[in-house]
């Protein structure tokens, strides 16, 4: 080998000094690059880490900015998520186009200019003007998308371009690791995961929202400087051919087929859809613990770190072996339903769901990592991955609530079926034959036959019936584990059979952007029949089917019982006022509170979910609204924070805030600004009542702090029913009442009163539209 034309290229002074020798290899003129120092990989890894950290910080910041303006609705969060996924796709498309058409060096110069544009709109601020001009009942999707595009579209787009661009640039640095720069993707996802964990634990508790935006801006400036330094490492490179090194000699150009691209999309689609399906299920049907959604997303990001590391921590073959076991166990839990698995501890159920998600993402992303193309197609590879992820998010967030309105969270089982198809087919097994379709059908026939047999034998739901209907077919499905398609169809059959095994007492089900609402009939241990409204697994009210009062009306039960806190407020305080009483109630539920309306009173209910309004107003299910005696009553649809702004000042004698018992609380309804709004809508001497029953959050100190800030006095009553009252439908509840003066409580605070005065603690934070922290209320 003849070494000639020796030259010294100095990149960034002390960053690296690399001798580049030109030589001939198999008749080709290439560059021979000795191993440089390890500073270049560290620089690129650090930059990608910071960039990903910023990417996952701006999303909750912007989401929190929108909440007081459009309300704490899932539709807002879903729309934000779709916007960010679309912007991410646009960023990846930009990275692919510039790298392909301009090459790394010229693309880096262009990108240095593009990095300056976001400074025009930073720090991120979302104004109120556009939202004031929009009616509260309008569909907020276009408005949210437009405001997001104006406020954060440019910064998010530019930040999203960095991950694929920097990996492509690193491939052209000539570093020995440049032939396979995908390990940098692990650094990027590590930044994403740590950012995800840092926001609720470190950022949100310490910084107000406006300061978060300013810190994000300076973080962007720092990241832009790091990107600029990375771009300077490309100076002096004569060509963008990273394969021209001794460690990676020139290879035959790789051609991508559409079959391969579609496979990338599918492998990205499945875990993305499963992530949202799993998060929705465990956050509503399993345990609606605030911030629980962080855990599945962190596991999802962790799989990218594992599979794109230089040495994956978990063997891919092992993941493929365990996946069918995990999916089958989860399938059996889902088809049996919550009533049949009550004895299992919460942590065990949660672990089954998270393990299935983790293994599915690990296998799917592992297949993507194993099939990653040569660096010349790096940006296109990430582009198609982004397409799959966006399609998975759009399917769950936008299409599923429309398609599966009457079937609940059907996208979750569907994603589990697709998860069975992502595993590679063993070489010793043919891909598909007729038995792959026939045998699952036969198992379905067997399961249906078992179901009819158990009905004929009058077997009650239990281990024997479940074992015959699902246990035996499930074991047969497990024998298909090595046959990818056959196993997937077997799982699908189990879910289809479960459709006939539904609870006969479920009267209706509706689903929309706000969740799944069911009406079911149940009975107490004494045989008293009740009709309940359930949102996820949170009870929103019930009505006795076996008893009425002396006037033939159904009495309120659960949290609204006549002997409970709100019952006493309505009958002893509001009921004792002379003349017409005007009451506003935020949160409709079954309409139980309407029972307390007197002839001549005016009652206004504020409800954000149209499905709940339809069910509560339908006398086939609940009669509280139809039996209401108020002279004027009605339901005002929309977010209460916005709709109350339309009410005249001094409208209500009593304002009931009943929107905090579902564990996923609308924080924007419990802030300084919200309390000021409520106060302005009260008449002199008026009263506010907050329902704070919650399994995971202690909202009492938060309200005490708000009362102190507003100059109010506050009292709390935590009511625990007796065993006999529980049988009659009363449940435990906690309520806080506020008034401007102690005298305004009237007869509620007599000598035998159960209303205890509460005082604010010095360490309790004051929640505002600019600052709130759920961790401060979690388990206090």
């Amino acid at each position: 080998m003849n070494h000639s034309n020796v030259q010294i290229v100095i990149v960034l002074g002390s960053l690296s000094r690399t001798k580049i020798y030109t030589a001939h290899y198999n008749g080709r003129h290439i560059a021979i690059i000795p191993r440089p120092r390890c500073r270049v990989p560290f620089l690129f890894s650090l930059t990608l880490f910071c960039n990903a950290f910023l990417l996952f910080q701006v999303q909750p910041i912007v989401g929190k900015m929108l909440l007081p303006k459009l309300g704490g609705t899932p539709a807002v969060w879903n729309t934000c998520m779709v916007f960010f996924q679309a912007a991410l796709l646009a960023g990846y498309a930009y990275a692919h186009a510039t790298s392909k058409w301009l090459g790394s060096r010229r693309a880096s110069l262009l990108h240095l200019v593009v990095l300056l544009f976001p400074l025009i709109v930073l720090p991120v601020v979302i104004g109120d003007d556009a939202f004031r001009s929009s009616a509260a009942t309008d569909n907020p999707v276009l408005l949210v998308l437009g405001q997001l595009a104006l406020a954060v579209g440019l910064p998010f787009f530019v930040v999203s371009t960095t991950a694929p661009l920097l990996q492509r640039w690193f491939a052209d640095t000539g570093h020995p690791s440049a032939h396979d720069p995908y390990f940098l993707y692990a650094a990027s996802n590590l930044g994403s995961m740590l950012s995800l964990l840092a926001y609720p634990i470190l950022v949100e508790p310490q910084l107000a929202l406006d300061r978060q935006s300013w810190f994000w801006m300076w973080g962007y400036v720092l990241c832009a400087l790091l990107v600029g330094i990375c771009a300077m490492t490309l100076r002096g490179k004569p060509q963008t051919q990273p394969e021209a090194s001794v460690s990676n000699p020139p290879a035959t150009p790789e051609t991508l087929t559409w079959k391969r691209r579609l496979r990338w999309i599918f492998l990205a689609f499945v875990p993305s859809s499963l992530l949202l399906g799993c998060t929705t299920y465990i956050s509503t049907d399993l345990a609606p613990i605030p911030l629980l959604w962080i855990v599945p997303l962190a596991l999802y990001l962790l799989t990218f770190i594992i599979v794109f590391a230089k040495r994956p921590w978990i063997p891919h073959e092992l993941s493929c072996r365990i996946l069918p076991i995990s999916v089958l166990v989860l399938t059996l839990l889902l088809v049996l339903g919550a009533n049949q698995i009550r004895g299992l501890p919460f942590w065990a159920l949660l672990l089954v769901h998270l393990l299935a998600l983790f293994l599915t993402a690990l296998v799917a992303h592992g297949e993507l990592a194993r099939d990653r193309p040569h660096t010349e197609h790096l940006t296109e590879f990430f582009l198609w991955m982004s397409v799959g992820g966006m399609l998975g998010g759009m399917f769950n967030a936008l299409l599923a609530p429309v398609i599966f309105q009457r079937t609940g969270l059907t996208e979750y089982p569907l994603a589990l079926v697709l998860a069975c198809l992502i595993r590679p087919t063993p070489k010793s097994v043919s891909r598909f034959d007729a038995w792959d379709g026939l045998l699952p059908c036969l198992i379905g026939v067997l399961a249906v036959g078992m179901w009819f047999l158990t009905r004929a034998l009058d077997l009650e739901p239990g281990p024997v019936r479940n074992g015959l209907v699902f246990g035996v077919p499930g074991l047969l499905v497990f024998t298909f584990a090595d046959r990818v398609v056959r196993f997937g169809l077997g799982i699908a059959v189990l879910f289809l059979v479960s459709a006939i095994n539904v609870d006969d007492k479920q009267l209706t089900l509706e689903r929309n952007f706000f969740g799944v609402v069911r009406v079911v009939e149940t009975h107490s241990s004494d045989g008293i029949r009740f009709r309940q409204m359930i949102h996820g697994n949170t009870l929103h009210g019930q009505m006795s089917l076996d008893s009425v009062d002396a006037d033939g009306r159904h009495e309120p039960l659960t949290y609204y019982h006549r002997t409970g806190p709100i019952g006493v407020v309505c009958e002893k305080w509001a009921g004792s006022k002379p003349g017409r009483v005007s009451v506003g109630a935020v949160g409709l539920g079954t309409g139980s509170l309407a029972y307390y309306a007197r002839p001549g009173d005016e009652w206004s209910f504020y409800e954000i979910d149209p499905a709940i309004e339809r069910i509560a107003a339908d006398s086939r299910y609940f009669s509280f609204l139809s039996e209401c005696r108020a002279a004027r009553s009605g339901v005002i649809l929309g977010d209460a924070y916005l709709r109350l702004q339309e009410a005249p000042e001094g409208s209500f004698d009593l304002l009931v805030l009943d929107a905090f018992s579902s564990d996923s609380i609308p924080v924007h309804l419990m802030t300084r600004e919200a309390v000021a709004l409520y106060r302005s809508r009260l008449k002199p001497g008026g009263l506010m009542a907050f329902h704070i029953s919650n399994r995971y959050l202690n909202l009492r100190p938060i309200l005490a702090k708000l009362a102190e800030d507003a100059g109010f006095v506050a009292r709390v009553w935590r009511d625990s029913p007796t065993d006999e009252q529980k049988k009659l439908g009363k449940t435990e509840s906690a309520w806080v009442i506020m008034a401007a003066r102690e005298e305004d409580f009237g007869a509620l605070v007599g000598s035998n009163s159960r209303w205890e005065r509460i005082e604010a603690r010095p360490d309790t934070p004051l929640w505002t539209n600019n600052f709130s922290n759920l961790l401060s209320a979690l388990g206090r």
Side-chain angles (χ1 to χ4, degrees), residues 155-208:
F156 190 89
F157 165 78
V158 174
V159 173
S160 67
T161 65
T162 304
L165 274 179
L166 259 64
Q167 290 179 72
R168 179 59 198 158
W169 295 356
F170 181 76
D172 294 333
T173 60
H175 190 273
S177 300
H179 67 284
D180 187 16
Y182 291 97
F183 72 91
L184 294 173
Y185 196 50
S188 176
N189 282 281
L190 178 62
S192 301
M193 188 174 71
L194 292 181
S195 176
L196 176 70
L197 299 174
Y199 187 80
I201 297 175
L202 299 176
V203 178
E204 188 181 40
Q206 302 298 328
L207 298 175

Side-chain angles (χ1 to χ4, degrees), residues 32 56 62 91 105 144 160 162 205 249 264 338 399 494 499 539 547 609 678 688 696 731 745 750 767:
I32 302 174
F56 269 74
V62 172
R105 288 186 61 192
V144 173
S160 67
T162 304
W264 291 342
L399 293 181
L494 292 178
L539 180 64
S547 64
D609 190 345
Y678 306 150
M688 285 184 281
Y696 306 102
T731 57
F745 290 133
W767 287 10

Side-chain angles (χ1 to χ4, degrees), residues 297-309:
L297 184 52
L299 290 175
Y300 176 84
L301 295 172
L302 179 61
T303 61
F304 282 112
I305 300 173
I306 294 173
V307 301
F308 282 97

Side-chain angles (χ1 to χ4, degrees), residues 265-280:
I265 293 175
F266 177 73
L267 290 172
F269 173 92
V270 173
S272 174
S273 175
L274 186 63
L275 167 66
L276 297 182
C278 176
T279 303
T280 302

Side-chain angles (χ1 to χ4, degrees), residues 12 43-44 47 166 169 173 225-234:
L12 293 179
L43 170 65
F44 277 78
T47 306
L166 259 64
W169 295 356
T173 60
L225 292 175
L226 290 173
V227 173
I229 297 174
C230 291
M232 293 178 67
T233 63
L234 298 174

Side-chain angles (χ1 to χ4, degrees), residues 598-621:
R598 303 175 305 173
D601 289 348
E602 293 184 358
W603 279 66
S604 300
F605 291 91
Y606 293 86
E607 176 55 51
I608 197 170
D609 190 345
I612 288 181
E613 188 271 338
R614 285 192 296 269
I615 292 173
D618 193 333
S619 58
R620 294 176 301 170
Y621 305 126

